[in-house]
Amino acid sequence: VYYEGRTYEVRESESVLEALVRGGASVRFSCRKGSCHTCMLRAPVQPPPEASQRGLSARWVEGAHFLPCIAHPTTDLHTEPPAAAASVDALVASKTQVSERVFRLELEVESSFTWVPGQHVSLVRADDVARSYSASSVSEEDYFLVLHVARVEGGALSPWIADELAEGDVVQLRGPFGACTYRDDDVDSPLAFLATGTGVGPVLGVVRDAIRRGHRGPIRVVHGVRAHAKDYAEAELAALAASRENVVAIRVVDEDPVAKLFEDPGLGPGTVLFLFGNPDAVHDARVRAVGAGIRRSDVRADPFDDAREPWPRDREKLDATPADPEMWEALDRGAKLRAILEEFYTIVFEDPQLAPFFHNVTKERAISKQYEFLYDVFSKEIIYFGLRPFNAHHWMVITDELFDYREELFEGVARKHGVPEPLLRRWMAFQERFRREIVKARARGMIVEGVEVKRDGFSEERLLADMVCDGCHGEMLEGEIGRMHQRTGQLFCARCASRVQSVAPPPA
């Protein structure tokens, strides 16, 4: 395998990723079994093994991308880092300041570039700095792609958009991305929308799209704003509410919009819930939705996270969780809990999407640690001395979709064991509270005494005792220098590294 000017020998039993890691290549990875897509590479010369493209979108497959963790090539393979998403030019047709901090952009894009309201695009500056903004217009009805951009002090792109970008300038767009969109089978469902700040932009588009497509169910919109922006989008929301009897729009100024949204007693199973804006509000609404019995597949969320990675709050959340004697009794003071976990982890360890995250972990250990954790939560009798949710999952790249998949499996097993529905909703809402600590786009470091310690790549270690190489399984003698992968703890001998040659790859 050729990668970044070097060649790596792939053994018969190895994947491409295993060969690259053994040889000391600088590659990102997480699950190592095709679930997370963190390690994705591109094969620009020969087609990669077909099985190594499992689960990739058509766009990535057409671009010759593949997953080296499940790639077992039978011929030489030239590889390179994944390609950036293709971009198109967009002319800034108009730029209007609609509140103290918010600007409305109308962009003229080529006719082949289409979007669905609720999707987002990456706006790219000439120096390749990019940020995502959600579409507010409807491509079938509107000539321009409309974006609402809030000026964020210290932001990487929004101050430039607010202060320097001018009408007539050309920017680049990548995308569109996302699936927080109206769908044909939503036509009779109650729709509920939570928007904070510029989150109202995509809501205006999605509601218009629903009306355009003949939506028959009720539509309820709650928009939370600060006092300094109390007039922002007020007229547009009022016009939507006036256009149809089934549309209700509520503005909440300097109050909790999530509480206002869930004042509606009709919010429950069957509701399709759209969430746009402040990530804390989106997170709180997700928790409330699970407790209300709204299906996870009916929650379409787009939290407007900034470039800074969120700091975990799992200690705070656990400390604020009181004992739940009613739940504990319903779980037969632990007996039913263990039975649920035993069945659940039996499924997990056979599941192709979830099993990879338990690499080198026995099923019994997984059951025991989760049992002790939940024993503490429900009974407040301290028997768990393991890691809190963030540190336990810090290296795992887990998507919202995979988190939902895991929770739905768990909920199904708990329901099968007879956990009463009100208690089950409470239990699942508790687990939902840790989504932000677990879901992430890339691996994070552990939090140790308030500091994030990132351990990746390799270090050179002098052996204090004889050991066995994790690559070739050959003997490593005391005093030798080995290469240790900082996160996995795998130790490789100098002989494995010597099989890597620095050469110029053949021309494509």
Side-chain angles (χ1 to χ4, degrees):
V1 168
Y2 301 90
Y3 180 70
E4 295 191 329
R6 307 180 83 189
T7 62
Y8 298 81
E9 173 192 326
V10 184
R11 297 177 183 150
E12 185 176 352
S13 61
E14 280 185 323
S15 68
V16 169
L17 178 65
E18 288 170 330
L20 293 175
V21 171
R22 176 172 55 81
S26 177
V27 288
R28 297 173 62 227
F29 62 92
S30 181
C31 78
R32 300 193 279 196
K33 293 293 181 181
S35 289
C36 69
H37 299 180
T38 302
C39 65
M40 185 167 64
L41 296 176
R42 183 170 177 267
V45 182
Q46 306 95 336
E50 185 176 347
S52 68
Q53 296 179 309
R54 183 190 75 204
L56 296 182
S57 68
R59 179 168 63 93
W60 291 120
V61 171
E62 290 167 4
H65 293 79
F66 73 104
L67 301 176
C69 61
I70 53 173
H72 296 271
T74 55
T75 61
D76 291 352
L77 190 65
H78 302 86
T79 69
E80 63 186 27
S87 59
V88 298
D89 289 340
L91 173 73
V92 181
S94 75
K95 172 184 165 183
T96 308
Q97 187 166 358
V98 294
S99 77
E100 181 183 329
R101 295 174 52 241
V102 178
F103 293 80
R104 183 179 188 270
L105 301 181
E106 291 186 342
L107 304 178
E108 183 177 0
V109 295
E110 59 187 51
S111 59
S112 61
F113 187 89
T114 60
W115 67 93
V116 178
Q119 290 187 308
H120 58 271
V121 297
S122 288
L123 191 152
V124 188
R125 196 168 58 190
D127 58 1
D128 210 38
V129 173
R131 289 294 181 268
S132 294
Y133 301 101
S134 294
S136 180
S137 50
V138 180
S139 60
E140 288 83 357
E141 295 183 346
D142 302 318
Y143 182 75
F144 296 115
L145 169 63
V146 176
L147 307 178
H148 291 207
V149 179
R151 191 186 200 284
V152 177
E153 292 300 329
L157 199 64
S158 64
W160 171 79
I161 292 174
D163 302 336
E164 300 182 41
L165 185 66
E167 294 178 1
D169 288 348
V170 174
V171 295
Q172 288 192 318
L173 300 179
R174 294 175 185 154
F177 309 101
C180 292
T181 59
Y182 183 83
R183 302 167 193 171
D184 289 336
D185 56 2
D186 296 335
V187 67
D188 291 310
S189 301
L191 304 184
F193 293 83
L194 173 74
T196 63
T198 53
V200 75
V203 169
L204 292 171
V206 176
V207 173
R208 282 183 56 208
D209 195 35
I211 292 172
R212 180 185 70 86
R213 293 160 72 173
H215 185 77
R216 295 188 289 265
I219 299 175
R220 188 168 185 262
V221 178
V222 174
H223 181 208
V225 293
R226 297 299 183 191
H228 62 75
K230 60 184 177 64
D231 297 327
Y232 165 50
E234 183 175 22
E236 292 93 329
L237 277 178
L240 277 179
S243 69
R244 293 290 189 279
E245 291 184 356
N246 61 339
V247 180
V248 174
I250 302 170
R251 289 173 61 78
V252 180
V253 180
D254 280 346
E255 295 181 29
D256 182 2
V258 178
K260 177 61 70 174
L261 178 71
F262 282 89
E263 283 179 3
D264 181 1
L267 225 62
T271 300
V272 179
L273 179 62
F274 292 83
L275 308 172
F276 294 93
N278 180 279
D280 291 329
V282 169
H283 175 73
D284 291 345
R286 276 189 187 272
V287 174
R288 294 284 294 268
V290 171
I294 298 175
R295 293 180 304 181
R296 290 175 188 82
S297 58
D298 285 336
V299 178
R300 299 170 198 170
D302 185 5
F304 292 2
D305 285 298
D306 60 25
R308 295 168 296 183
E309 294 175 315
W311 196 255
R313 295 172 51 206
D314 43 8
R315 178 191 291 273
E316 174 187 336
K317 294 173 183 178
L318 289 169
D319 289 346
T321 303
D324 195 336
E326 184 183 13
M327 181 78 75
W328 195 231
E329 289 300 325
L331 294 174
D332 297 335
R333 302 189 64 80
K336 183 178 286 188
L337 173 60
R338 179 166 285 278
I340 290 170
L341 293 174
E342 287 174 350
E343 180 171 343
F344 172 67
Y345 280 104
T346 296
I347 295 171
V348 165
F349 272 69
E350 296 174 355
D351 186 275
Q353 294 188 71
L354 298 176
F357 293 96
F358 293 87
H359 186 73
N360 290 336
V361 176
T362 66
K363 183 171 69 172
E364 180 53 39
R365 177 172 173 79
I367 293 169
S368 297
K369 300 308 288 185
Q370 186 71 352
Y371 176 81
E372 292 167 5
F373 174 74
L374 292 171
Y375 188 113
D376 279 13
V377 168
F378 296 139
S379 73
K380 290 301 179 181
E381 297 177 18
I382 306 303
I383 67 169
Y384 177 71
F385 297 98
L387 301 173
R388 289 190 295 276
F390 178 88
N391 277 351
H393 300 84
H394 74 96
W395 61 271
M396 302 180 191
V397 176
I398 297 176
T399 63
D400 280 306
E401 292 76 15
L402 193 60
F403 182 91
D404 287 338
Y405 178 72
R406 187 265 186 203
E407 291 298 278
E408 285 167 3
L409 280 180
F410 189 94
E411 184 175 341
V413 172
R415 184 175 284 115
K416 176 182 173 183
H417 282 259
V419 177
E421 200 66 26
L423 294 182
L424 182 56
R425 289 185 183 181
R426 195 155 79 213
W427 188 352
M428 301 315 297
F430 164 77
Q431 296 190 169
E432 180 68 31
R433 293 175 67 190
F434 298 95
R435 179 187 292 266
R436 293 195 75 192
E437 278 74 26
I438 293 173
V439 169
K440 64 187 77 67
R442 67 182 188 87
R444 296 279 301 273
M446 264 196 177
I447 305 299
V448 181
E449 297 182 351
V451 177
E452 183 171 356
V453 180
K454 297 186 178 182
R455 294 177 178 172
D456 222 333
F458 294 87
S459 64
E460 290 192 347
E461 306 289 341
R462 185 176 297 278
L463 272 62
L464 301 179
D466 294 350
M467 302 190 75
V468 174
C469 172
D470 287 316
C472 65
H473 306 296
E475 186 178 16
M476 299 177 68
L477 301 178
E478 179 182 351
E480 280 188 33
I481 301 294
R483 290 175 301 104
M484 186 176 75
H485 194 276
Q486 290 291 293
R487 173 159 56 80
T488 67
Q490 290 175 293
L491 187 68
F492 301 100
C493 66
R495 294 181 297 278
C496 284
S498 68
R499 293 188 176 91
V500 180
Q501 304 170 353
S502 294
V503 297

